[in-house]
Amino acid sequence: MAKAGPGRAHVCPVAAFQKMISGKYKLRIVWDLKDGPRRYGEIRSGLLRGAEGSAPITPRVLSRELKALAASGLIDRRDFGVVPPKVEYRLTRKGQSCVPVVAAIRDWGERHLGEPARAEAAE
Amino acid sequence: MAKAGPGRAHVCPVAAFQKMISGKYKLRIVWDLKDGPRRYGEIRSGLLRGAEGSAPITPRVLSRELKALAASGLIDRRDFGVVPPKVEYRLTRKGQSCVPVVAAIRDWGERHLGEPARAEAAE
DNA sequence: CAGCATCCTGCGTGATACTG
DNA sequence: CAGTATCACGCAGGATGCTG
């Protein structure tokens, strides 16, 4: 067997997903792109929502996240090759396919994480 | 979109979820507990699935994950107070409520991450 | 059996500065 | 505008040994 490549017999899909969307922004970026293509700066701006208290994402980190998402096949980079630079990012079919999953996550989060005062017993 | 009341920092639910299940094992633990209570050792053993190549989770890490999950209100710890020690972990109602989300994640992962399918047309 | 104590390392993330 | 280069740091997470 060629073990040079990723000879993953079968990893837990949950773990694989976790790894794929590891990081603070990947899921949010995917969610942000669900409505259509967005430019680098737009994504960056969109990431600021809900993060007024925290520092904005640095170019280095955003760049890294975008590359990782592209490497995962979730998004696609489109460089217009003009000056000033214009680059758009959009979801691939694969990326679009996981939007419902992100939606489910977001939905659950809104329902159970919106209000921290949830000192609920086990049953 | 509905505007929340005053004094509420608008934390992205997606980011909140991400943070809650941060780590390599939390989601898998939740998934593992979906069928009912499990003991510490059972969880540990269950985590070995698909991780034959990697090193097994250390007690320190597992303990931390379980405590974090308990702190998040997803699981509940039940100590039988006997010797030899017997401790069970089970999903809370909150934990059970997010099982479908994990199921969605797992489902998507099986569909799109099971095999390194390439040739992704950005379209 | 179900943990805790200590040490150590890689990586994710942020800050800052620079470029085509 | 859309990145890259460099530095620094906290923390997740693994190794190992011990305990009630």
Side-chain angles (χ1 to χ4, degrees), chain A residues 75-96:
Chain A
I75 69 173
D76 183 47
R77 183 179 183 273
R78 186 180 181 187
D79 193 333
F80 287 80
V82 297
V83 294
K86 178 177 179 180
V87 179
E88 274 186 358
Y89 292 89
R90 61 195 306 191
L91 292 181
T92 59
R93 292 178 63 78
K94 186 177 179 182
Q96 289 172 16

Side-chain angles (χ1 to χ4, degrees), chain A residues 65-76:
Chain A
E65 298 285 82
L66 290 170
K67 280 182 178 176
L69 284 170
S72 299
L74 291 181
I75 69 173
D76 183 47

